[in-house]
Amino acid sequence: MTVTQDLAVRSARTGQGPDHQASLIVQGSDATGIVAAVAAALGRHGANIVALDQHSDNPSSGGDFFQRTVFSLPSLQAALPALHSELDEKLVKEFGLTYTLRDLSVPKRVAVFASKSDHCLLDLLWRHRQGQLPVSIAMVISNHPDVAEEVRSFGIPFFHVPSMGPDKSQAEAEHLRLLKDNVDFVVLARYMQILSGDFIRDAGVPIINIHHSFLPAFIGAGPYAKAKERGVKLVGATAHYVTEDLDEGPIIEQDVVRVTHADTAADLARRGADVERAVLSRAVLWHAEDRVVRHGNHTIVFA
Amino acid sequence: MTVTQDLAVRSARTGQGPDHQASLIVQGSDATGIVAAVAAALGRHGANIVALDQHSDNPSSGGDFFQRTVFSLPSLQAALPALHSELDEKLVKEFGLTYTLRDLSVPKRVAVFASKSDHCLLDLLWRHRQGQLPVSIAMVISNHPDVAEEVRSFGIPFFHVPSMGPDKSQAEAEHLRLLKDNVDFVVLARYMQILSGDFIRDAGVPIINIHHSFLPAFIGAGPYAKAKERGVKLVGATAHYVTEDLDEGPIIEQDVVRVTHADTAADLARRGADVERAVLSRAVLWHAEDRVVRHGNHTIVFA
Amino acid sequence: MTVTQDLAVRSARTGQGPDHQASLIVQGSDATGIVAAVAAALGRHGANIVALDQHSDNPSSGGDFFQRTVFSLPSLQAALPALHSELDEKLVKEFGLTYTLRDLSVPKRVAVFASKSDHCLLDLLWRHRQGQLPVSIAMVISNHPDVAEEVRSFGIPFFHVPSMGPDKSQAEAEHLRLLKDNVDFVVLARYMQILSGDFIRDAGVPIINIHHSFLPAFIGAGPYAKAKERGVKLVGATAHYVTEDLDEGPIIEQDVVRVTHADTAADLARRGADVERAVLSRAVLWHAEDRVVRHGNHTIVFA
Amino acid sequence: MTVTQDLAVRSARTGQGPDHQASLIVQGSDATGIVAAVAAALGRHGANIVALDQHSDNPSSGGDFFQRTVFSLPSLQAALPALHSELDEKLVKEFGLTYTLRDLSVPKRVAVFASKSDHCLLDLLWRHRQGQLPVSIAMVISNHPDVAEEVRSFGIPFFHVPSMGPDKSQAEAEHLRLLKDNVDFVVLARYMQILSGDFIRDAGVPIINIHHSFLPAFIGAGPYAKAKERGVKLVGATAHYVTEDLDEGPIIEQDVVRVTHADTAADLARRGADVERAVLSRAVLWHAEDRVVRHGNHTIVFA
């Protein structure tokens, strides 16, 4: 919807741009009247709804409700406390829902973990430089020093944290020290190390991984070799949130590419690499724009 | 497009299902507060929003607004008059919008026009029998009698209206007589005749055509031969609303399939046929479910 | 797979077309000179090579060799005995290869097994009637009588063989009696019964199955429910040769379609059905045209 | 096929690797015996056929014949003169065909022309560094200096040649001076200048362009704006050889990506960019591996 004349004038006075937008994610048990309550609450604060997506997983008999609303509000920062109070009152108390409200002008901060395969990492860095990824890349961490120079040429800090064998506790402690209060989520861009449950818990932020297969096919290591062995005609990639169950976390995005008997396992890896970087960049974009809602082991993706 | 009053009569005949749902399409100039106004109006009548899609084609500075809402309301038929009054008041008068409100338990009635190529026709008939297309197929009209028996084996009336040369006025008069008050839209399922502007106007209902190319490539007749001549590596199909400008109407859906130098023009036609029937069935389904909003020469598809 | 002598008899019955073509599949241990030997042997009999595909799975150090050659030869039937002698001499004795030679004017005979879901069955029947599948459909066998009338309307014999509980021996005996000497391969078009190892062996012909998932994901029953549970973003289908290991046989073809969180398990089944019938029809076409070579648990597909 | 014992021993002696391979492209009027003649000629020189693809555009009644053969021959350089003599004798004189024979161990040299949009250029540079593109990138030429530093960080020479208005003769003269004897083909990686017929002729090497639409849709400038205007549901990209007829040259590869009404023209450009770089990299790879045969305004792609 449009910025009304009144708001446009105020916007010009306060120096705030026309894109002062926020996202509001609401989820919980479905009930009649939620959409109206959200719209009314936003309306009372002069917010203009720019985009709205809604999903009910069982509209006819209860089930769960999910809504993503993007709205513009010229004096967003000033209005936030009152808006929070209202949403607490209307959504939390009345409907028993949960919500998150985020100023979209503040990009999420991300740490990218990488290893030797750099195609996913470079694709993220390049898209970020092109202005295609609304995130702030706080740092790149790798267990190999190879890409240090390239990463820094993008103006991004690089930290080399070696893996040092099966006991990952020392490396993970170093990771946690670097991440502490610095990032809003982590992306594993073909970081080939398994994270401990302790690390996942202590990091305290969402972690997105790219798995180089169409999950749940070929869980675990060496999926392209397994795909060649099984003789599949498509290979794929899966971006998912990391949980303690390896390769079992909620799937955000997947895609595939056609292969033939003539492709070797190395060819599958090469073709798959293109899918990996495409799938991961979509997942990161959607997470950055609050388009992904986790629900149990599923995601609702308002893309 | 539909008239609620008529629907109410038909609905009474068909009986009401447990999911008594209606669709509400709203469109017009964008303004602050539309979503809230719609949600509030529905809420006041006890309606529960089941699905909501919204699009603003220029959120920052005016532009147009489109919204599709599906809601359930136990006593839908009884509530419709009051709901209409309220929407007239709130949406038409206050916001200057237009809207259509339709009882989804009443399937749209469609006439399918076919010719010798029967793959699109048969696919629609089969999907309809499977319960995948929520339409009532009122009749099939063809300029060839070949498929008469097959169509009737699906329990659907078949009418043979020969083309009779370049002067189509007599055939079109017969078409209009058959369609009159009997259908809510028309589907041209590889009906290879060009419709006159008079016919399109007099029919008075939306007409969906499947063109056997990825429009705007290969406009007009013989697209597969043209595609072979040009040496393209993909062939496609386009479902669009028919306007007086041949192959220039608003596009609803498109898709493509890969071909190679080894494919002859006949191979392209064969591969393309699969895309044609898939694209047409999606377009018909979306139109049937009020998911397609026409706007100038464009469509908004809430699929 | 086929025996030339038998084909000669049948070919005489069907009459010879203007394009008297044959396929020659050669496979075995790779060696220098095979392509030249095949081409020379065909050349000596006046055959004109129409299409040639070749694959070496490890060109640099041994490995296996596969070649599909289609050639035309005006007096094919008369030339076959001498050509067989020459190929036995050159390919079998000198190179230790195996080969099959088949008159392409004689379509392979197929039995289609079906159950309640008829989309794959009907798609095969349609395509066959359209001239898109160069096979002779000898019969349709189903454990449900529902589609009998429809199948027979295509002019194809239908046999109802009930499943009768966990002991399949009686049903399978009936199947074998029907198939005996009548078919060159079997297609399971969503035939939801597991075949015994004895049946597979006794049938003595290739059996193609369509599995309603992107194997090896979601092996076994209920793949769409499992896919919904896992929250995947694509669903697929796999056509494969049947072996005693359920869902583990050589894959012929696979494809996928995109789904979202908004799709129910029933939606996944509906979307997947389109992929199933497309994938199965391609697999049947390629098998019918001798484009699929089995090798261990893999296929080489010269498509 | 395998390197025989004898050849393997010689290979070890001469220090030549097992991958000493060459490509042979044969084309001309179809006739019986060409495949055999090629295979026999190669066999007489001890060459081992590694891959063979063949296409006849009208097998039943004349037409044209195309064949790509890759063979290995340990003493390739030494054997080439004699092999050329034999092919001249057998293929040119006897069959009236043309052929090209190329040592695959010598990568083709390419100049990449770029402008401000760097996604296609960077993708080629990345893939080249990863070892995915068997070419030697001799230079990058741009009418803007922006990417100079980045290109040189890949160890590749960069030349800035400004466009200088509508008269391109001076810039093109500079281009020709740089290219002269230095490159085997040219890639226009979103180089937004139209080349003159004189330049195309004088360059004397194939020129590959990436057009940012699914040709022949949206020929000329601004295809994404045109696509948005037309309301298409897919946008695409086309790699083709450049001829004097703008956007009309032989198509090498095409692909598309799905878009919706919610995508702005800028979104189409962003989504299309991913397709452009993927399509261009495939076209360059195939050209580099002699997989693309030009024939009139078509290509035969043995991919």
Side-chain angles (χ1 to χ4, degrees):
Chain A
M1 299 173 197
T2 54
V3 175
T4 67
Q5 210 54 34
D6 186 27
L7 295 184
V9 173
R10 275 193 281 149
S11 176
R13 280 194 208 120
T14 59
Q16 291 179 343
D19 285 314
H20 209 154
Q21 298 187 346
S23 70
L24 171 64
I25 307 294
V26 175
Q27 68 186 112
S29 292
D30 201 356
T32 301
I34 300 176
V35 173
V38 170
L42 293 176
R44 269 189 292 276
H45 291 80
N48 183 29
I49 294 175
V50 168
L52 192 160
D53 293 288
Q54 177 266 355
H55 173 62
S56 307
D57 66 7
N58 192 345
S60 59
S61 62
D64 287 293
F65 173 89
F66 309 87
Q67 184 176 312
R68 174 185 186 263
T69 311
V70 175
F71 60 89
S72 63
L73 188 55
S75 326
L76 181 61
Q77 286 303 330
L80 279 178
L83 189 52
H84 265 294
S85 296
E86 171 133 17
L87 294 172
D88 287 343
E89 185 67 32
K90 296 291 180 191
L91 300 182
V92 181
K93 284 197 191 154
E94 280 189 26
F95 286 97
L97 301 163
T98 62
Y99 77 89
T100 59
L101 181 61
R102 200 171 68 82
D103 183 345
L104 285 171
S105 69
V106 184
K108 292 185 180 178
R109 302 161 303 161
V110 60
V112 182
F113 280 48
S115 187
K116 285 204 164 176
S117 287
D118 63 0
H119 56 280
C120 285
L121 170 65
L122 288 178
D123 202 59
L124 291 175
L125 297 181
W126 176 77
R127 287 181 192 274
H128 181 252
R129 187 173 67 187
Q130 294 284 96
Q132 290 183 18
L133 285 182
V135 295
S136 166
I137 303 182
M139 66 191 77
V140 171
I141 296 174
S142 177
N143 57 340
H144 290 281
D146 316 35
V147 291
E149 194 179 350
E150 180 126 29
V151 169
R152 288 176 185 137
S153 80
F154 282 85
I156 291 167
F158 174 89
F159 301 109
H160 176 218
V161 181
S163 297
M164 296 177 296
D167 179 7
K168 302 204 161 54
S169 56
Q170 199 183 329
E172 291 197 339
E174 174 73 4
H175 292 155
L176 288 172
R177 209 168 48 77
L178 291 165
L179 300 178
K180 177 75 175 157
D181 295 333
N182 284 325
V183 300
D184 300 305
F185 70 113
V186 169
V187 171
L188 308 183
R190 294 299 307 274
Y191 181 68
M192 308 301 285
Q193 307 291 317
I194 295 174
L195 308 179
S196 74
D198 282 348
F199 175 82
I200 295 168
R201 202 163 37 248
D202 294 347
V205 294
I207 304 174
I208 295 173
N209 183 46
I210 180 74
H211 185 79
H212 42 319
S213 87
F214 178 76
L215 289 175
F218 310 124
I219 286 177
Y224 291 124
K226 290 174 186 166
K228 179 66 186 171
E229 173 58 29
R230 183 62 187 91
V232 293
K233 303 300 184 187
L234 302 166
V235 295
T238 304
H240 64 96
Y241 288 113
V242 173
T243 62
E244 287 202 41
D245 298 314
L246 182 67
D247 300 339
E248 298 281 0
I251 293 171
I252 304 170
E253 171 65 339
Q254 304 187 286
D255 216 337
V256 295
V257 67
R258 188 161 283 274
V259 297
T260 77
H261 60 266
D263 289 303
T264 63
D267 293 330
L268 299 194
R270 183 173 54 78
R271 288 174 181 275
D274 284 358
V275 184
E276 292 165 23
R277 67 180 191 174
V279 164
L280 181 60
S281 72
R282 289 203 290 269
V284 170
L285 174 63
W286 294 338
H287 180 83
E289 295 182 339
D290 295 319
R291 295 179 181 277
V292 191
V293 184
R294 284 174 76 157
H295 177 57
N297 207 45
H298 291 193
T299 63
I300 288 86
V301 180
F302 294 124
Chain B
M1 299 167 199
T2 52
V3 182
T4 307
Q5 214 55 36
D6 278 351
L7 294 185
V9 174
R10 279 194 276 144
S11 176
R13 283 195 209 117
T14 58
Q16 296 182 351
D19 283 308
H20 210 156
Q21 299 189 345
S23 71
L24 170 65
I25 306 296
V26 175
Q27 70 186 108
S29 291
D30 202 354
T32 301
I34 300 176
V35 173
V38 170
L42 293 176
R44 268 190 293 276
H45 291 79
N48 185 31
I49 294 175
V50 169
L52 192 159
D53 292 288
Q54 178 267 357
H55 173 62
S56 307
D57 65 8
N58 193 345
S60 59
S61 62
D64 287 293
F65 173 88
F66 309 87
Q67 184 176 314
R68 174 186 186 263
T69 311
V70 175
F71 60 89
S72 62
L73 188 55
S75 328
L76 181 62
Q77 287 303 329
L80 279 177
L83 189 52
H84 264 294
S85 297
E86 171 133 18
L87 295 172
D88 286 344
E89 186 67 30
K90 295 292 179 190
L91 300 182
V92 180
K93 285 197 189 153
E94 280 188 28
F95 285 97
L97 301 164
T98 61
Y99 76 91
T100 58
L101 181 61
R102 200 172 68 83
D103 183 345
L104 286 171
S105 69
V106 184
K108 291 185 181 179
R109 303 161 304 163
V110 60
V112 182
F113 280 47
S115 188
K116 285 205 163 175
S117 287
D118 63 0
H119 56 281
C120 286
L121 170 65
L122 288 179
D123 202 59
L124 291 176
L125 298 181
W126 176 77
R127 287 180 193 275
H128 180 253
R129 189 174 63 186
Q130 293 284 98
Q132 290 184 16
L133 287 181
V135 296
S136 166
I137 303 183
M139 67 191 76
V140 171
I141 296 173
S142 176
N143 57 341
H144 290 282
D146 317 36
V147 291
E149 194 180 350
E150 181 127 25
V151 168
R152 290 178 184 136
S153 80
F154 281 86
I156 291 167
F158 174 89
F159 302 110
H160 175 219
V161 181
S163 297
M164 294 178 296
D167 179 6
K168 299 204 163 53
S169 56
Q170 198 182 332
E172 292 196 339
E174 174 73 4
H175 291 155
L176 288 172
R177 211 167 47 77
L178 291 166
L179 300 179
K180 177 74 173 161
D181 295 332
N182 285 324
V183 301
D184 299 305
F185 69 114
V186 169
V187 171
L188 308 183
R190 292 300 306 276
Y191 181 68
M192 308 302 284
Q193 307 292 317
I194 295 174
L195 307 180
S196 73
D198 283 346
F199 175 82
I200 295 168
R201 201 162 38 248
D202 294 346
V205 292
I207 303 174
I208 296 173
N209 182 47
I210 180 75
H211 186 79
H212 41 317
S213 87
F214 178 77
L215 289 174
F218 311 124
I219 285 177
Y224 292 123
K226 291 174 185 165
K228 179 64 187 172
E229 173 59 29
R230 183 63 187 89
V232 294
K233 303 300 185 185
L234 302 168
V235 294
T238 304
H240 64 95
Y241 288 114
V242 173
T243 62
E244 287 201 43
D245 299 314
L246 182 67
D247 299 340
E248 297 282 0
I251 293 171
I252 305 169
E253 171 65 340
Q254 303 186 287
D255 215 336
V256 295
V257 68
R258 187 162 284 275
V259 297
T260 78
H261 61 265
D263 289 303
T264 63
D267 292 331
L268 300 194
R270 185 173 52 78
R271 288 174 181 275
D274 284 358
V275 184
E276 292 165 25
R277 67 181 191 173
V279 165
L280 181 60
S281 73
R282 290 202 289 270
V284 171
L285 174 63
W286 295 339
H287 180 82
E289 295 182 340
D290 295 319
R291 295 178 180 278
V292 190
V293 185
R294 283 174 76 157
H295 177 56
N297 207 44
H298 291 193
T299 62
I300 289 86
V301 180
F302 294 125
Chain C
M1 299 165 200
T2 51
V3 182
T4 306
Q5 214 56 33
D6 278 351
L7 292 185
V9 174
R10 279 194 277 144
S11 175
R13 283 194 208 118
T14 59
Q16 297 183 351
D19 282 310
H20 210 156
Q21 298 189 343
S23 70
L24 171 64
I25 307 295
V26 175
Q27 70 187 108
S29 292
D30 202 354
T32 301
I34 299 176
V35 174
V38 170
L42 292 176
R44 268 190 294 276
H45 291 80
N48 185 31
I49 292 175
V50 168
L52 191 160
D53 293 287
Q54 178 267 355
H55 174 62
S56 307
D57 66 7
N58 193 344
S60 60
S61 63
D64 287 294
F65 173 89
F66 308 87
Q67 184 176 313
R68 175 185 185 263
T69 311
V70 175
F71 60 89
S72 62
L73 188 54
S75 328
L76 180 62
Q77 287 304 327
L80 279 178
L83 189 52
H84 264 294
S85 296
E86 172 133 16
L87 295 172
D88 286 345
E89 185 68 29
K90 296 292 179 191
L91 300 182
V92 181
K93 284 198 190 153
E94 280 189 26
F95 286 96
L97 301 163
T98 61
Y99 76 90
T100 59
L101 181 61
R102 201 173 68 83
D103 182 346
L104 285 171
S105 68
V106 184
K108 291 186 181 179
R109 302 162 304 163
V110 61
V112 182
F113 280 47
S115 188
K116 286 205 163 175
S117 287
D118 63 359
H119 55 283
C120 286
L121 170 65
L122 286 179
D123 202 60
L124 292 175
L125 297 181
W126 284 352
R127 289 180 192 274
H128 181 252
R129 189 173 63 185
Q130 301 273 32
Q132 290 183 18
L133 285 182
V135 296
S136 165
I137 303 182
M139 68 190 76
V140 171
I141 296 173
S142 176
N143 56 341
H144 290 282
D146 316 37
V147 291
E149 194 180 350
E150 181 127 27
V151 169
R152 289 178 185 135
S153 80
F154 282 84
I156 290 167
F158 174 88
F159 301 109
H160 176 219
V161 181
S163 295
M164 294 177 295
D167 179 6
K168 300 203 163 56
S169 56
Q170 200 183 331
E172 292 197 337
E174 175 72 4
H175 291 153
L176 288 172
R177 209 168 49 77
L178 291 165
L179 300 179
K180 176 75 174 160
D181 296 332
N182 284 324
V183 301
D184 299 305
F185 70 114
V186 169
V187 171
L188 309 183
R190 293 298 307 274
Y191 180 69
M192 308 302 284
Q193 307 292 317
I194 295 174
L195 307 179
S196 73
D198 282 347
F199 175 81
I200 295 168
R201 203 163 36 248
D202 294 346
V205 293
I207 303 174
I208 296 173
N209 183 47
I210 180 73
H211 186 78
H212 42 317
S213 88
F214 178 77
L215 289 175
F218 309 125
I219 286 176
Y224 291 123
K226 291 174 186 166
K228 179 66 186 171
E229 173 58 29
R230 184 62 188 91
V232 293
K233 303 299 185 187
L234 302 167
V235 294
T238 304
H240 64 95
Y241 288 113
V242 174
T243 61
E244 287 201 42
D245 299 314
L246 183 67
D247 299 341
E248 298 281 0
I251 293 171
I252 304 170
E253 171 64 340
Q254 303 186 287
D255 215 337
V256 295
V257 67
R258 186 162 286 273
V259 296
T260 77
H261 60 266
D263 290 302
T264 62
D267 292 332
L268 300 194
R270 184 173 52 79
R271 287 174 182 274
D274 285 358
V275 184
E276 292 164 26
R277 66 181 192 172
V279 164
L280 182 60
S281 73
R282 290 202 289 271
V284 171
L285 175 63
W286 295 339
H287 181 83
E289 295 182 339
D290 295 319
R291 294 179 180 277
V292 190
V293 184
R294 284 173 76 157
H295 177 58
N297 207 44
H298 291 193
T299 62
I300 288 86
V301 180
F302 294 124
Chain D
M1 299 174 195
T2 54
V3 175
T4 65
Q5 211 54 32
D6 188 24
L7 295 184
V9 173
R10 275 193 282 149
S11 177
R13 281 195 207 119
T14 59
Q16 291 179 343
D19 284 316
H20 209 154
Q21 298 188 345
S23 71
L24 171 65
I25 306 295
V26 175
Q27 68 185 112
S29 292
D30 201 355
T32 301
I34 300 176
V35 173
V38 170
L42 293 176
R44 269 190 292 276
H45 291 79
N48 183 30
I49 293 175
V50 168
L52 192 160
D53 293 288
Q54 178 267 353
H55 173 61
S56 307
D57 65 8
N58 193 346
S60 60
S61 62
D64 287 293
F65 173 89
F66 308 87
Q67 185 177 313
R68 174 185 186 263
T69 311
V70 175
F71 60 89
S72 63
L73 187 55
S75 326
L76 181 62
Q77 286 304 329
L80 279 178
L83 189 52
H84 264 295
S85 297
E86 171 133 17
L87 294 172
D88 287 345
E89 185 67 29
K90 296 291 180 191
L91 300 183
V92 181
K93 284 197 189 156
E94 279 189 26
F95 285 96
L97 301 163
T98 61
Y99 76 90
T100 58
L101 181 61
R102 200 171 69 82
D103 182 345
L104 285 171
S105 69
V106 184
K108 291 185 181 180
R109 302 162 304 162
V110 61
V112 182
F113 280 48
S115 187
K116 286 204 164 177
S117 287
D118 63 359
H119 55 282
C120 285
L121 170 64
L122 286 179
D123 203 59
L124 291 175
L125 298 181
W126 284 353
R127 288 180 193 273
H128 181 252
R129 188 173 65 186
Q130 301 273 33
Q132 289 182 19
L133 285 181
V135 296
S136 166
I137 302 182
M139 67 190 76
V140 171
I141 296 174
S142 176
N143 57 341
H144 290 281
D146 317 36
V147 291
E149 193 180 351
E150 180 127 28
V151 169
R152 289 179 184 133
S153 81
F154 282 84
I156 291 168
F158 174 89
F159 301 109
H160 176 218
V161 181
S163 295
M164 294 179 295
D167 179 7
K168 300 206 162 54
S169 56
Q170 200 182 333
E172 291 197 339
E174 174 73 3
H175 291 155
L176 288 172
R177 209 170 49 77
L178 290 166
L179 299 179
K180 176 75 174 158
D181 295 332
N182 284 324
V183 300
D184 299 305
F185 70 113
V186 169
V187 171
L188 308 182
R190 294 298 306 273
Y191 181 70
M192 307 302 284
Q193 307 292 316
I194 295 173
L195 307 179
S196 73
D198 282 347
F199 175 82
I200 296 168
R201 203 164 35 249
D202 294 347
V205 293
I207 304 174
I208 296 173
N209 183 46
I210 180 74
H211 186 78
H212 42 319
S213 87
F214 178 77
L215 289 175
F218 310 124
I219 286 177
Y224 291 123
K226 292 174 185 165
K228 179 66 186 171
E229 172 59 28
R230 182 62 187 92
V232 293
K233 303 301 183 186
L234 302 167
V235 295
T238 304
H240 64 95
Y241 288 113
V242 173
T243 62
E244 287 201 42
D245 299 313
L246 182 67
D247 299 340
E248 297 282 1
I251 294 171
I252 304 170
E253 171 64 341
Q254 305 187 286
D255 215 338
V256 295
V257 68
R258 188 162 284 275
V259 297
T260 77
H261 60 267
D263 290 302
T264 64
D267 292 331
L268 299 194
R270 183 173 53 77
R271 287 174 181 273
D274 284 358
V275 183
E276 293 165 24
R277 66 181 191 173
V279 164
L280 181 60
S281 73
R282 289 203 289 271
V284 171
L285 174 63
W286 294 339
H287 180 83
E289 296 182 340
D290 296 318
R291 294 180 181 277
V292 191
V293 184
R294 285 174 74 157
H295 177 58
N297 208 44
H298 291 193
T299 62
I300 288 86
V301 180
F302 293 124

